[in-house]
């Protein structure tokens, strides 16, 4: 029998019943509820005990060697409900596509290792009704409207031993203060926010979180002759978008070809003002010697992604709350050609064929190396709500999406889904987008998702979405969905649901039980497998789909 060395949790008290009107949320402590009782844990722990997530990390005992299998992969398909297509895709028509994962066969097939057959995401199977009962609406609303990012950045900058990145954007908690109308950070950090369609459906506010994404290109992409040049930067950002989306031309914010020193609309002259450029073989400015690569970002591209609580005002309007659940960071530390990427995909496939467990290369403060050219790092709330670096076991979870799934573009999700051209530069705005279809499809993407999944989330348990957009017989009310004015109307929750979801996640944060799942579910999941066995029927062939996450923005309505 294997024992963990003694572990002492923080001094805690029961969450339910501990609140009063004068107790600030930062003073609230919490006990994790087990299947048998709610109590303090005692050590030593034995296999089979309800060991807290913190103990696994404290003593470097691996909890889930298959953490790259996300919770959504355990959804019951019942032979017809298919949320799997959004990640698992095979595109053999495009011979030049760098992503050669070709994992479309995994739609609706539970092709896991022996260890992966057990669903380790046990937070999905907790009813949090009693756990959130003692949290008042005023208390949780006060909590989510506190800025925990600013103090986190100050702490990193003050730590002389910190070796990781410091991804700072001043006033990031308050986007209107942080970015101008084109999305450029006002602090001169060169981060640029863009408006994109949230990926189905984990990142829909109705399913637990709000968020945003920023991009930053390397120094040579922002300068001409060693001097910062915003026109050069805008042109190169646009050229990156063209490379990822394989576009021949694109609209841009107003730029000067004279300041760039290059004819970008191919009219044979250098104009003082252009708002449309054509694809170039190389980038411009000091990056003029770097070629555009099909569906690949240039080296030193960075992404900053915040996952936030759901802000909701007195009128029930949803916004991106100041408080961040997570801050996620990616940097392309090495450019890999299509040929090198093919070798990496082949190595992954071979290791899986020989039933080797997934490996995560941990880089200390710098995060993890996904082995496809990207460094990935992440920060998450501690039990007091302050952001902390994620433990290597928590970071391994990131590889489940940003390593080897067939639908991604250079291991990324959000930028390929950016509103095309000049209208897409600026902070995310759900009210400025409608439900456009994916490339090659006819009807709205989210309407299609509802139909294919049979619900408004992968687990088909978001009752509010079912009541809003589905008929009593379980079919989608297509007419009602098509009448939605914008994405905000389609995928944001009611004030009541938003508040409950915030409370549910608050309990996970107090438990520090992220190893057991980060989804802010309210009730025990019913459409999710706890153990995979041979009785699970594979998805029927007619319910499998070829799909491109990119969108047909030409159909957008204003």
């Amino acid at each position: 029998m294997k024992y963990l060395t003694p572990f002492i949790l923080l001094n805690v008290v029961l969450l339910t019943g501990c609140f009063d009107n004068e107790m600030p949320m930062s003073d609230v402590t919490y006990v994790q509820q087990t299947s048998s009782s709610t109590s303090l844990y005692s050590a030593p722990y034995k296999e089979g005990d309800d060991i807290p997530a913190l103990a696994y990390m404290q003593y470097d005992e691996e909890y889930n060697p298959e953490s790259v299998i996300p919770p959504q992969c355990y959804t019951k398909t019942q032979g017809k409900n298919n949320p799997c297509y959004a990640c698992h895709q095979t595109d053999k028509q495009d011979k030049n596509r760098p992503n050669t994962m070709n994992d479309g066969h995994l739609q609706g097939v539970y092709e896991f290792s022996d260890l992966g057959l057990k669903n380790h995401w046990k937070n999905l199977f907790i009813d949090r009704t009693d756990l959130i009962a003692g949290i008042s609406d005023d208390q949780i609303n006060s909590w989510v409207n506190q800025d925990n990012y600013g103090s986190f950045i100050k702490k990193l900058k003050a730590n002389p031993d910190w070796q990781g990145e410091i991804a700072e954007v001043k006033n990031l908690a308050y986007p209107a203060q942080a970015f101008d109308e084109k999305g450029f950070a006002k602090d001169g950090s060169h981060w640029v926010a863009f408006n994109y369609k949230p990926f189905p459906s984990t990142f829909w506010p109705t399913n637990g979180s709000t968020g945003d994404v920023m991009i930053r290109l390397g120094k040579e992409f922002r300068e001409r002759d060693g001097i910062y040049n915003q026109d050069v930067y805008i042109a190169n950002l646009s050229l990156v978008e063209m490379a990822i989306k394989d576009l021949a031309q694109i609209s841009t914010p107003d730029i000067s070809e004279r300041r760039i020193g290059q004819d970008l609309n191919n009219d044979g002259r250098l104009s003082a003002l252009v708002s449309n450029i054509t694809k170039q073989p190389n980038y411009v400015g000091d990056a003029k010697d770097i070629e555009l690569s099909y569906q690949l970002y240039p080296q030193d591209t960075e992404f900053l992604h915040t996952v936030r609580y759901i802000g909701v005002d007195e009128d029930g309007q949803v916004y991106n709350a100041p408080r961040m659940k997570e801050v996620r960071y990616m940097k392309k530390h090495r450019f890999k050609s299509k040929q090198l990427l093919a070798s990496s995909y082949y190595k992954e496939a071979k290791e899986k064929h020989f039933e080797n467990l997934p490996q995560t290369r941990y880089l200390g403060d710098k995060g993890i190396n996904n082995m496809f050219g990207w460094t990935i790092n992440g920060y998450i709330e501690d039990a007091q709500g302050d952001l902390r670096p994620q433990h290597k076991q928590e970071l391994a979870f990131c590889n489940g999406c940003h390593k080897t799934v067939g639908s991604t573009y250079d291991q990324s999700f959000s930028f390929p889904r950016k509103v095309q051209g000049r209208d897409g530069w600026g902070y995310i705005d759900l009210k400025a987008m409608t439900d456009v279809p994916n490339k090659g499809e006819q009807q709205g993407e989210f309407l299609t998702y509802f139909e294919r999944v049979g619900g408004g989330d992968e687990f088909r348990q978001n009752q509010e979405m079912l009541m809003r957009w589905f008929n009593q017989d379980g079919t989608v009310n297509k007419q009602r969905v098509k009448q939605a004015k914008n994405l905000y109307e389609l995928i944001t929750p009611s004030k009541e649901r938003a508040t409950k979801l915030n409370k549910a996640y608050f309990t996970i944060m107090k438990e520090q039980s992220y190893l057991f799942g980060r989804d802010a579910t309210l009730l025990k999941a019913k459409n999710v497998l706890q153990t995979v066995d041979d009785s699970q029927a594979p998805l029927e062939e007619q319910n499998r789909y070829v799909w491109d996450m990119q969108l047909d923005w030409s159909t957008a309505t204003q």
Side-chain angles (χ1 to χ4, degrees), residues 56-119:
Y56 286 100
M57 297 187 293
Q58 177 79 11
Y59 296 99
D60 204 21
E61 295 285 343
E62 190 168 30
Y63 167 68
N64 181 9
E66 284 281 25
S67 61
V68 297
I69 304 174
Q72 291 77 9
C73 286
Y74 292 94
T75 299
K76 297 177 182 177
T77 68
Q78 298 175 326
K80 61 180 181 179
N81 302 301
N82 182 2
C84 317
Y85 76 91
C87 286
H88 301 300
Q89 283 295 321
T90 297
D91 182 4
K92 293 186 176 180
Q93 291 185 341
D94 186 353
K95 303 300 182 183
N96 295 317
R97 182 171 167 81
N99 186 340
T100 58
M101 184 62 189
N102 295 334
D103 60 354
H105 67 283
L106 292 180
Q107 290 184 33
V109 176
Y110 305 100
E111 199 173 283
F112 301 152
S113 68
D114 290 344
L115 279 171
L117 295 176
K118 176 185 177 182
N119 186 345

Side-chain angles (χ1 to χ4, degrees), residues 410-427:
D410 202 355
Q411 280 63 52
S412 73
F413 289 86
S414 297
F415 193 74
R417 299 171 59 81
K418 172 189 170 293
V419 174
Q420 197 155 298
R422 68 181 298 159
D423 292 338
W425 295 112
Y427 194 75

Side-chain angles (χ1 to χ4, degrees), residues 119-324:
N119 186 345
H120 287 77
W121 306 108
K122 58 186 181 180
N123 273 345
L124 289 174
F125 306 105
I126 294 177
D127 184 333
R128 296 191 177 268
T129 304
D130 291 340
L131 295 176
I132 68 176
I135 309 173
S136 76
D137 292 355
D138 287 343
Q139 287 164 329
I140 195 66
N141 288 337
S142 174
W143 176 259
V144 305
N145 281 296
Q146 296 170 15
D147 172 14
N148 60 348
Y149 170 82
S151 57
F152 163 69
I153 292 295
K154 287 181 181 178
K155 184 183 296 185
L156 289 185
K157 293 170 76 172
N159 182 359
D161 298 323
W162 178 250
Q163 299 298 310
E165 83 293 335
I166 300 178
E168 179 180 12
V169 179
K170 290 184 180 177
N171 298 315
L172 184 56
Y174 309 100
Q177 299 177 34
F179 302 101
D180 66 21
E181 61 180 10
K182 295 177 183 176
F184 284 79
K186 296 178 181 179
D187 63 359
S189 62
H190 307 305
W191 286 106
V192 188
F194 55 90
N195 195 21
Y196 63 97
K197 194 176 184 185
F199 193 77
S201 67
T202 300
F203 293 102
W204 294 351
T206 185
N207 291 323
S209 302
T210 59
D212 51 29
V213 182
M214 288 69 69
I215 187 173
R216 182 166 64 182
L217 302 183
K219 186 173 182 289
E220 65 268 39
F221 294 85
R222 310 191 300 255
E223 296 182 351
R224 182 186 179 193
D225 299 328
I227 300 172
Y228 176 70
N229 185 316
Q230 182 162 296
D231 294 66
V232 164
Y233 196 13
I234 291 173
N236 280 327
L237 286 165
S238 300
L239 289 169
V240 169
E241 183 173 355
M242 297 172 81
I244 295 297
K245 298 181 178 179
D246 191 28
L247 302 173
Q249 60 180 6
I250 196 169
S251 64
T252 70
D254 292 342
I255 54 177
S256 168
E257 290 179 321
R258 295 175 185 174
R259 293 198 70 231
I260 296 169
Q262 190 168 331
D263 175 18
L264 294 179
N265 61 4
N266 290 349
D267 66 356
R269 59 181 181 177
L270 296 182
S271 301
L273 187 67
V274 298
S275 57
N276 195 287
I277 65 175
T278 58
K279 194 171 185 178
Q280 307 293 312
N282 288 30
Y283 291 98
V284 301
D286 290 351
K288 61 182 179 298
D289 294 330
I290 300 175
E291 295 182 0
L292 273 68
S293 294
Y294 179 61
Q295 294 184 357
L296 295 175
Y297 301 99
Q299 185 168 313
D300 293 332
T301 299
E302 298 171 279
F303 287 105
L304 182 61
H305 170 36
T306 74
V307 182
R308 306 176 184 232
Y309 286 82
I310 308 169
V312 56
D313 64 22
E314 293 182 356
D315 298 324
Q317 290 293 299
V318 167
Y319 57 90
N320 286 12
R323 177 170 290 278
M324 300 176 189

Side-chain angles (χ1 to χ4, degrees), residues 453-498:
V453 175
D457 66 314
E458 296 96 335
F459 309 129
R460 305 191 304 283
Q461 67 182 41
N462 185 329
Q463 294 300 311
E464 187 169 271
M465 292 293 277
L466 291 172
M467 292 179 64
R468 281 182 179 178
W469 308 117
F470 289 76
N471 300 312
Q472 290 186 352
D473 63 0
T475 59
V476 180
N477 189 327
K478 296 179 68 169
Q479 181 178 2
R480 185 180 301 167
V481 173
K482 289 179 179 179
Q483 289 174 344
K485 294 180 295 185
N486 48 43
L487 295 190
Y488 178 92
E489 187 175 332
L490 273 177
I491 62 171
T492 54
S494 65
K495 180 179 181 179
E496 179 183 12
R497 177 171 171 81

Side-chain angles (χ1 to χ4, degrees), residues 349-382:
K350 185 170 69 171
E351 289 182 350
K352 185 170 184 178
H353 175 76
F354 287 105
E355 299 182 355
N356 295 327
L357 289 173
Q359 300 296 311
T360 297
R361 180 176 291 184
Y362 183 56
L363 305 174
D365 288 347
K366 295 181 184 295
I368 58 176
N369 182 343
N370 77 346
M371 307 309 294
F372 285 77
W374 292 92
T375 300
I376 302 173
N377 214 349
Y379 310 89
I380 202 162
E381 287 181 292
D382 65 16

